[in-house]
Amino acid sequence: YNSNGLYFYNLINNGTITVGTGTFTNNVEGTFTNNNTIQTKTAILSGSITEASGSTVIFTGDGDGAVDSQTITIFGTTYHHLTINSTDGSMDTFLFGATPTINGNLTVTAGILNTNSQTVAITGSATISGGTLSLSGNTTFNGGVTVQSGGTLSCTTGGTTITIDDADTMTV
């Protein structure tokens, strides 16, 4: 029961939730747990949110063919795997609206991910196979970085510190 004496439920995603051009909106009184994949242009969640080990959140943008900016502030700020794969190719920019924790891998396949002066720690590997990872805040890569053909890693402000754990490598 919640504070109003009403039942509350937990919501668990064990499959794939794909949201086309709409917004995934969910108000959960209990806990929302993502055990698998959510693919969305944007999402609004409130309540307690858990990104389970092995889960993935994929941001795709709105697919309207125009230049857009999306601020990522949902799902709290903790992700397991995070993927940026803009359906508008390199036209959409995704900006961190708060300091994120990425406990798994970061993948940028299309679009621009701008760290937006946030301090970012990535526990797994980072792969930029298309699109751009634009660093404007201090970033730590604990699992190495791979920039493949078609991908770009850039620093947009002076004083940005990039740390690659000494046990890992950066491959370009």
Side-chain angles (χ1 to χ4, degrees), residues 38 40 56-60 72 79 81-86 94 105-110 113:
I38 296 174
T40 182
T56 303
V57 175
I58 304 169
F59 287 101
T60 60
I72 300 173
Y79 301 90
H81 300 307
L82 177 63
T83 298
I84 303 299
N85 186 18
S86 173
F94 300 83
N105 300 326
L106 172 66
T107 304
V108 179
T109 56
L113 176 58

Side-chain angles (χ1 to χ4, degrees), residues 9-15 17 26 28 31-36 52:
Y9 297 94
N10 296 324
L11 177 62
I12 300 172
N13 172 34
N14 288 319
I17 297 173
N26 187 51
V28 179
T31 300
F32 174 80
T33 303
N34 180 28
N35 286 327
N36 204 342

Side-chain angles (χ1 to χ4, degrees), residues 42-43 59 69-79 82 84 93-102 112-120 134 136:
T42 186
F59 287 101
S69 290
Q70 310 268 348
T71 300
I72 300 173
T73 57
I74 54 86
F75 296 103
T77 54
T78 301
Y79 301 90
L82 177 63
I84 303 299
T93 299
F94 300 83
L95 301 128
F96 285 129
T99 299
T101 300
I102 302 169
I112 300 166
L113 176 58
N114 185 317
T115 59
N116 200 27
S117 300
Q118 303 295 331
T119 298
V120 180
S134 178
S136 59

